[in-house]
Amino acid sequence: MGGDAINVEVCSIRELLRCPLQVPPYQRPYVWQASNVLQLIEDIEHSAQADPATDESRYRIGTVIVYRNEDGTSLDIVDGQQRVITLHLILAVLGERKDGMRLDMRDDEQTRRHLYENDHAIRQLMDSWEGDRRSQFAGRLLDGCEVLKVRSDHLSEAFQMFDSQNARGKELDPTDLLKAFHLRRMDADGVDESRKQQLVRRWELHQDAIQPLFGTYLYRIACWSRGEKAKPGGLDSDSIAMFKGIDLPGRGNERQCAPWQRNYVTAWYASKERADDGSETSYAFQIDQPVINGEAFFCFAEHYRTLLRQQLMHDEDPWKEACADVVPFVDEWRYRYMTELFHTILLYYRDRFGDGDAVEAARMAFLHAAYMRLAMRSLRFATVNNYALGADRWWRNARIFEMIRDADRGRDVLSHMARIAREPLDEDSDNVKRRYQELWSRYMRRDSKSRAGDGGMEEEGNMKRGEETR
């Protein structure tokens, strides 16, 4: 890495906004609220002193981290985009957005809505200003305020600085920390800048799906399959180590890896050589395998984002049928833990055994998750943990995630789930409980013949267990 890879300078807002800045496509939408904008304006006004041109009175508005594109014609904003967009918006209202000031940015519904709302709030505030207050404020903003501008020629380095900068203030989302970690790991693998940008762009475009994918589903699978309790808040900065793993050769790590771990690295390289059609997921990922750091991690995330989306969207076959039972409850807050458990079981099952039994696996996952919710008057996450781990209160409950982990065939898991005895639910059950009992009885009777003899199941036993839950 050359000595000129990083450039740090203090510059005025006027100097900053004259730079060829752009918000890259992988960045998140503009989400600042009117309250954030008005607070910034108030802070700038309060910072003004008798002589705003002196260095002592300069007001520092944070740090802006930029990455110089390979073409050298523009600077991508890695950190500070919310403030930069807001500064452009304020100056536009003041009529001071000139001197070559322009900003290329994403165009999406959320960004447009916040731009409109904040523009209205700024105009409403400044319309109440009298005298030369507007011109004084403009001068203070452009020449009396400054930022620390950090420019890097390497995208992974820019994200590393973003990581460090934010760690000292507001805590980053754990997925941001994972992104920065694995982006840095690609340096040693010789991944070029264009490939890094492609991976980060895809990650950021799907950030709203990435956060629950890791924060809720993959995290809980990782915990419960090991027989460990998951945290109520999901994945946090103390837990992200479970999604850091094997470095590819180049960091001296290959000798530290056990032989069985090196086999995964060998398979990853082999899959990359075979993938001459541009496929990103030719490697046969498994949720509970050791994570391969760097490029493989981003492909891992994309693979499971796609699998989970099929379940959550349930708009394609066979997912229309497979998820039909859970669909009525997805928007009901009181059934949140139930629907999350359903999708977590189904995702882990599909990852392990494929989609051959998707409809039956989904039906069994729903019945299993719904029983947990309907058997409780009030459901807390501690109960979800106990249910998933087969604690004493649920002595009839199987440890489903460990069963999926250890089973040789998907049919063994389904047979095991069907044999779980259930306490009868209350006779005065509401419509949801009655619907559950109907589904359980109908499902057991309908499928008993097809499952008879598989894994030791018998039709008579299935019929009896179906009747017990009426």
Side-chain angles (χ1 to χ4, degrees), residues 133-146:
R133 187 175 173 183
R134 290 169 65 104
S135 60
Q136 288 180 349
F137 180 85
R140 175 63 180 167
L141 172 58
L142 288 168
D143 300 310
C145 296
E146 63 188 18

Side-chain angles (χ1 to χ4, degrees), residues 111-169:
T111 295
R112 288 196 300 270
R113 184 177 74 253
H114 285 100
L115 285 173
Y116 174 81
E117 292 173 353
N118 293 345
D119 177 82
H120 177 74
I122 296 169
R123 292 183 186 278
Q124 191 173 38
L125 170 66
M126 293 186 175
D127 284 346
S128 67
W129 288 0
E130 298 178 351
D132 57 356
R133 187 175 173 183
R134 290 169 65 104
S135 60
Q136 288 180 349
F137 180 85
R140 175 63 180 167
L141 172 58
L142 288 168
D143 300 310
C145 296
E146 63 188 18
V147 296
L148 183 69
K149 186 182 77 172
V150 183
R151 190 202 73 214
S152 174
D153 297 338
H154 301 277
L155 186 61
S156 58
E157 197 168 51
F159 271 101
Q160 181 177 5
M161 289 183 286
F162 167 78
D163 183 355
S164 301
Q165 170 71 17
N166 283 273
R168 292 192 293 271

Side-chain angles (χ1 to χ4, degrees), residues 36 56 71 79 85 143 150 157 161 163 178 237 240 266 280 320 330 392 396 409 422 424 446 449-450 459 470:
N36 303 120
E56 289 78 9
D71 59 15
D79 187 28
I85 294 174
D143 300 310
V150 183
E157 197 168 51
M161 289 183 286
D163 183 355
L178 284 174
S237 57
I240 61 174
T266 301
E280 296 293 343
K320 282 184 179 179
V330 294
D392 291 343
R396 287 186 172 91
R409 302 183 306 157
R422 308 283 179 182
R446 185 191 65 197
K449 291 184 179 180
S450 65
E459 181 175 357
R470 290 180 183 172

Side-chain angles (χ1 to χ4, degrees), residues 309-443:
R309 180 189 178 280
Q310 292 172 338
Q311 296 177 199
L312 296 178
M313 297 300 291
H314 44 72
D315 55 357
E316 300 176 355
D317 293 330
W319 307 109
K320 282 184 179 179
E321 180 182 358
C323 298
D325 293 328
V326 80
V327 168
F329 308 110
V330 294
D331 295 324
E332 295 278 346
W333 179 255
R334 62 183 294 222
Y335 296 108
R336 176 171 65 94
Y337 287 143
M338 181 189 85
T339 57
E340 288 175 351
L341 180 60
F342 163 80
H343 284 297
T344 306
I345 294 172
L346 184 57
L347 180 64
Y348 193 30
Y349 180 92
R350 294 175 61 203
D351 175 63
R352 197 76 173 177
F353 305 110
D355 291 342
D357 297 317
V359 175
E360 185 175 351
R363 190 64 54 84
M364 294 305 298
F366 171 77
L367 292 169
H368 190 72
Y371 182 81
M372 172 196 69
R373 178 64 190 89
L374 299 176
M376 301 295 297
R377 185 177 300 274
S378 176
L379 183 63
R380 298 179 180 274
F381 189 73
T383 305
V384 182
N385 258 327
N386 291 334
Y387 188 72
L389 297 175
D392 291 343
R393 175 184 176 87
W394 305 99
W395 63 274
R396 287 186 172 91
N397 174 44
R399 301 165 74 96
I400 297 301
F401 291 89
E402 294 177 59
M403 179 66 189
I404 294 174
R405 181 197 65 194
D406 296 334
D408 293 325
R409 302 183 306 157
R411 300 297 306 178
D412 295 337
V413 175
L414 299 180
S415 298
H416 185 75
M417 292 179 74
R419 289 196 297 270
I420 299 173
R422 308 283 179 182
E423 290 282 1
L425 296 170
D426 296 336
E427 289 299 326
D428 60 346
S429 58
D430 58 22
N431 290 334
V432 177
K433 287 188 177 182
R434 285 196 295 271
R435 184 170 183 273
Y436 170 85
Q437 293 173 104
E438 178 186 347
L439 283 170
W440 178 264
S441 178
R442 177 161 53 87
Y443 176 62

